Amino acid sequence: MIDKSARLRRECDTEDPSLAAPFRSYALDRSGSPRFHIRMVEDTQRLYPAHKHDYFQIVYFMSDAPAMRIGLTSHKPRPGSIYFIAPMVPHQVRYDRGTRCVLIYFDLDLLRPSITRSYPVAELVRLAPELTPFAWQNHVSFLLQGPQIERTERAIASMIAQHGSERICEMEIVRAELTLMLAALCQDYEAEFAELSTRLPVMGRDSSHMRRIAEFIGENYTLGPSLSEAADAARLSKSRLCALIRQYTGTSFNTLIREMRIEDARERLVLTDDSIGQIAYSVGYNDEKYFLRAFKNSVGMTPTAYRLKRANESLAAKAGADASILRHRAPQWHGPAKRSALETAVGGNS
């Protein structure tokens, strides 16, 4: 069951929904003009626990990466994956040493200075259609291919080159590149957006419910929350809560809790040296034997075997990368290897 402090936190949440999830801003404080930042992430092993912030964020991956969770939906980033995180949407992400990605964040008025009030993202897209990917993030697989990757990386490279350059029209170019990148992706996925609009017509009405559900479960899945406690936190009946979770995640409340715990355990097995017992307890299992059964049923192997498998995969990937570096250092008869615009912009470091 949820401990007393967690119950108090949930009861406070019913008074002010904005307190329901941790608010962590990794951006500079706003000082009048709209915020924008873009940076590469590489050779970093770090967990950003469940949090939310007041700006829009885009994460573009150039490599595989550990699981990422946005709201109640887990994702496994691959090269070409791009994610759109709207303001105040709870999410968490883990990076390992092999992760290479680009983070972009910006305020709404960077793109749309004329929009001076806040709207739910499902309503906002009617005024700013280039933000549509943020509304459908967990319903569309944004995995870019070939020409889409080249186009997106050219835009990112241009923004990296311009940002902080202190050149005339620096932010005008950044704004134009960001808008064109988003607009082009909207056209790429236009058919999917249109089809989803017919199947999920009440998304705008349900978005506040789903945000409260995601915040409560994201904070409390390791504490064994009951269905009644989750329904109280979301201000819904138990039947309505179950229906929404089924509609938006395709699974049940109890299965969702179990999947989130096992996913958390998998990442801890890779990113920490904690014992199996410590990890079991950290993700909400007081009985280690029960955790072992649940993990094997879900993953198909024991936690120890999974940790060894991932360690071997990491060693093999590092050996492959080292071999690739040596090959590129060797004399080449056919001229220098082609570099992408993004690699050129960041110096080609990997």
Side-chain angles (χ1 to χ4, degrees):
M1 295 297 291
I2 301 174
D3 63 18
K4 183 177 180 180
S5 63
R7 290 184 187 280
L8 288 174
R9 183 169 63 245
R10 178 176 59 80
E11 290 168 2
C12 289
D13 294 346
T14 63
E15 296 298 325
D16 183 355
S18 67
L19 300 177
F23 182 94
R24 295 188 181 93
S25 177
Y26 298 98
L28 297 174
D29 291 337
R30 178 156 183 159
S31 58
S33 59
R35 290 170 295 182
F36 172 85
H37 190 70
I38 183 168
R39 68 181 177 92
M40 287 283 296
V41 174
E42 54 188 341
D43 194 27
T44 298
Q45 183 160 302
R46 182 171 179 180
L47 164 66
Y48 289 88
H51 65 285
K52 60 187 180 182
H53 37 61
D54 60 349
Y55 46 83
F56 290 83
Q57 181 170 307
I58 300 171
V59 189
Y60 171 71
F61 286 88
M62 294 168 288
S63 70
D64 292 317
M68 182 173 186
R69 184 182 303 128
I70 303 173
L72 295 177
T73 304
S74 295
H75 304 271
K76 183 66 175 71
R78 297 164 55 190
S81 295
I82 187 166
Y83 299 96
F84 303 91
I85 304 168
M88 308 311 289
V89 171
H91 58 283
Q92 70 179 48
V93 60
R94 292 180 175 91
Y95 303 125
D96 60 20
R97 293 292 182 188
T99 300
R100 296 189 75 228
C101 68
V102 175
L103 294 180
I104 304 171
Y105 68 72
F106 60 93
D107 288 319
L108 173 62
D109 52 344
L110 176 80
L111 297 185
R112 295 284 184 150
S114 61
I115 300 178
T116 56
R117 55 164 289 193
S118 61
Y119 294 87
V121 70
E123 297 178 22
L124 181 61
V125 298
R126 298 185 180 95
L127 302 173
E130 68 274 17
L131 298 175
T132 301
F134 291 91
W136 295 115
Q137 165 56 63
N138 285 339
H139 300 277
V140 175
S141 176
F142 294 102
L143 179 61
L144 309 187
Q145 306 291 336
Q148 295 172 321
I149 289 176
E150 292 179 8
R151 184 189 68 218
T152 300
E153 292 192 357
R154 280 197 302 270
I156 290 172
S158 177
M159 287 186 278
I160 289 174
Q162 290 293 328
H163 181 53
S165 67
E166 298 184 357
R167 300 184 65 188
I168 186 172
C169 296
E170 166 201 341
M171 289 311 299
E172 283 71 17
I173 292 176
V174 166
R175 182 182 299 110
E177 291 283 14
L178 180 58
T179 302
L180 285 170
M181 183 183 80
L182 289 168
L185 288 169
C186 286
Q187 291 192 344
D188 290 340
Y189 291 91
E190 186 174 7
E192 286 91 333
F193 297 157
E195 195 273 335
L196 282 166
S197 296
T198 64
R199 290 195 294 109
L200 298 172
V202 296
M203 178 183 168
R205 188 185 68 193
D206 291 341
S207 60
S208 61
H209 296 321
M210 290 307 300
R211 183 169 297 172
R212 286 195 294 269
I213 293 169
E215 288 173 347
F216 177 80
I217 293 179
E219 278 197 330
N220 296 295
Y221 70 92
T222 63
L223 302 174
S226 70
L227 181 62
S228 295
E229 289 165 334
D232 288 346
R235 307 173 206 166
L236 296 167
S237 67
K238 290 188 288 187
S239 60
R240 178 63 175 152
L241 173 75
C242 289
L244 282 173
I245 289 176
R246 176 72 65 178
Q247 179 181 1
Y248 285 93
T249 71
T251 191
S252 67
F253 174 79
N254 288 331
T255 300
L256 179 64
I257 297 293
R258 183 171 64 251
E259 288 176 350
M260 291 175 72
R261 286 176 165 183
I262 296 301
E263 177 196 315
D264 196 348
R266 288 170 65 166
E267 299 306 323
R268 290 171 187 266
L269 286 165
V270 174
L271 297 176
T272 76
D273 295 322
D274 293 350
S275 69
I276 303 301
Q278 288 173 320
I279 291 173
Y281 183 77
S282 295
V283 301
Y285 289 91
N286 293 322
D287 185 334
E288 185 176 341
K289 291 183 179 179
Y290 183 66
F291 166 71
L292 293 174
R293 288 196 301 271
F295 190 94
K296 188 171 183 179
N297 287 339
S298 176
V299 182
M301 63 184 75
T302 65
T304 301
Y306 180 80
R307 174 175 267 170
L308 180 61
K309 176 175 180 289
R310 289 296 304 271
N312 289 337
E313 289 173 350
S314 179
L315 288 173
K318 185 178 186 304
D322 290 344
S324 177
I325 291 171
L326 290 174
R327 283 197 301 271
H328 282 90
R329 286 177 178 169
Q332 300 291 320
W333 292 101
H334 48 74
K338 182 180 179 182
R339 302 168 79 200
S340 71
L342 183 53
E343 288 175 322
T344 301
V346 299
N349 296 324
S350 60

